[in-house]
Amino acid sequence: MATEATTAPKFQEPDLRQVSQSPDFKHETAHDGLKFWQFMIAGSIAGSVEHMAMFPVDTVKTHMQALRPCPLKPVGIRQAFRSIVQKEGPSALYRGIWAMGLGAGPAHAVYFSFYEVSKKFLSAGNQNNSAAHAISGVFATISSDAVFTPMDMVKQRLQMGEGTYKGVWDCVKRVMREEGFGAFYASYRTTVLMNAPFTAVHFTTYEAAKKGLMEFSPERVSDEEGWLVHATAGAAAGGLAAAVTTPLDVVKTQLQCQGVCGCDRFSSGSISDVLRTIVKKDGYRGLLRGWLPRMLFHAPAAAICWSTYEGVKSFFHDLNGDSNTA
């Protein structure tokens, strides 16, 4: 009898806790009370704000990763930054930002909406299901990369500068005329192979870090301070995912910038061929070119993105609540 008395609450307690706490997760659950189009708007706003805010760092990273025909030397962030500003002025740091704006909004709308829908079905009500978060992230990135890759290619070519293209439309027309439609997706396979593990690590780390921060100090998690939790978890997730996937990001830059400003041109889009070329010209260190600005980009970018995304979601929650009570 004593055994039954002690074990009965043990099995009943999780069910009671889930029922009693479910209302508290209103702003944390990704699929309760929001419509599909609201996820898309939240994702679009978050992605646009993230990439626009961190664009100069991305420009520096692109210059550091591009292979030139001349003998290569290690290029630091300061050296790359000074070179860009001295040659073309501070405005060169923002060259290609309109291409980013055209691609980031729609791509992130697809990204977050696919993630939320996938997580809803795969998690089966378990908010701590790391596998569901990772798989949902992979589904999201495959879909969003199909939308984002063409404009990302245009953006990186414009970032290389030196008057090669007059603007976004000129770049699109010339690439289509000189290289064909396939050039816009030359790096798609590499991008997916890079972003699939990036997103899996990113979402898994974000959800785990957010949960840990909320459990560590639950009394401080409120609507006013919740953005700090999202920003901190997002920064940790973005920095870790960026560090793990830098080599494939270098390959992606080579494929998207080939033939521009003296960058190498590849006869095929084979990842192995690009990897061999990088190692041959720059050694294995070449696979880590731009790792620091990549981390400096993704850590604050993810913090901005997640806090903005959750903030817009919270706005829609409140809006839906007001409309329901009206």
Side-chain angles (χ1 to χ4, degrees):
M1 295 296 293
T3 304
E4 292 178 358
T6 55
T7 55
K10 181 178 180 181
F11 291 100
Q12 294 174 4
E13 186 177 355
D15 293 333
L16 292 174
R17 185 179 296 115
Q18 289 178 3
V19 172
S20 62
Q21 288 190 351
S22 57
D24 295 336
F25 283 101
K26 180 179 179 182
H27 294 283
E28 302 303 327
T29 7
H31 47 77
D32 58 338
L34 292 188
K35 299 178 177 64
F36 187 78
W37 65 268
Q38 292 175 324
F39 288 126
M40 295 190 73
I41 291 177
S44 180
I45 294 174
S48 298
V49 171
E50 164 199 359
H51 285 285
M52 297 294 187
M54 300 304 300
F55 195 81
V57 181
D58 186 63
T59 300
V60 172
K61 184 214 70 169
T62 297
H63 278 260
M64 291 177 66
Q65 290 182 338
L67 284 178
R68 308 298 179 102
C70 57
L72 296 173
K73 296 179 181 179
V75 178
I77 295 177
R78 291 183 180 180
Q79 184 179 351
F81 178 82
R82 288 174 182 172
S83 176
I84 295 169
V85 173
Q86 289 175 357
K87 287 183 178 180
E88 304 175 72
S91 63
L93 295 170
Y94 291 91
R95 185 183 289 110
I97 193 169
W98 294 117
M100 174 63 75
L102 290 172
H108 279 73
V110 173
Y111 185 83
F112 281 105
S113 57
F114 269 68
Y115 173 70
E116 300 287 12
V117 172
S118 299
K119 187 173 75 169
K120 174 183 178 180
F121 287 102
L122 294 176
S123 63
N126 180 10
Q127 298 181 21
N128 301 323
N129 190 335
S130 298
H133 299 156
I135 296 172
S136 299
V138 173
F139 286 157
T141 196
I142 292 173
S143 304
S144 65
D145 284 342
V147 177
F148 188 59
T149 297
M151 281 296 105
D152 189 48
M153 184 276 290
V154 173
K155 180 264 298 182
Q156 286 203 307
R157 292 196 177 202
L158 291 173
Q159 283 177 322
M160 294 303 298
E162 299 183 12
T164 306
Y165 302 104
K166 297 178 182 178
V168 175
W169 183 236
D170 180 57
C171 181
V172 171
K173 289 191 297 184
R174 287 182 54 186
V175 170
M176 181 70 76
R177 182 175 63 249
E178 297 170 8
E179 303 176 51
F181 181 77
F184 291 100
Y185 284 93
S187 69
Y188 179 68
R189 179 173 51 183
T190 306
T191 301
V192 170
L193 288 176
M194 173 187 71
N195 283 340
F198 176 94
T199 309
V201 173
H202 186 117
F203 277 115
T204 304
T205 305
Y206 172 76
E207 297 285 358
K210 182 177 69 172
K211 177 178 179 292
L213 288 169
M214 294 179 67
E215 289 180 349
F216 178 74
S217 184
E219 70 280 357
R220 297 190 62 185
V221 178
S222 62
D223 290 341
E224 292 75 18
E225 297 181 351
W227 69 269
L228 184 59
V229 172
H230 300 303
T232 304
L240 178 61
V244 171
T245 56
T246 293
L248 284 172
D249 187 54
V250 176
V251 173
K252 185 202 75 169
T253 299
Q254 306 309 312
L255 290 171
Q256 294 192 154
C257 294
Q258 54 183 316
V260 180
C261 301
C263 293
D264 287 351
R265 183 174 290 281
F266 302 94
S267 57
S268 70
S270 170
I271 297 174
S272 59
D273 288 345
V274 180
L275 286 171
R276 281 195 293 267
T277 301
I278 295 171
V279 173
K280 181 179 179 180
K281 295 191 67 172
D282 201 21
Y284 287 101
R285 70 182 181 184
L287 297 175
L288 297 177
R289 275 184 175 267
W291 71 268
L292 185 55
R294 179 166 163 79
M295 287 189 66
L296 291 176
F297 173 90
H298 280 286
I304 293 169
C305 184
W306 278 110
S307 55
T308 302
Y309 178 65
E310 298 288 354
V312 177
K313 278 173 55 180
S314 179
F315 167 78
F316 279 129
H317 274 298
D318 295 338
L319 184 65
N320 292 347
D322 292 340
S323 63
N324 291 334
T325 57

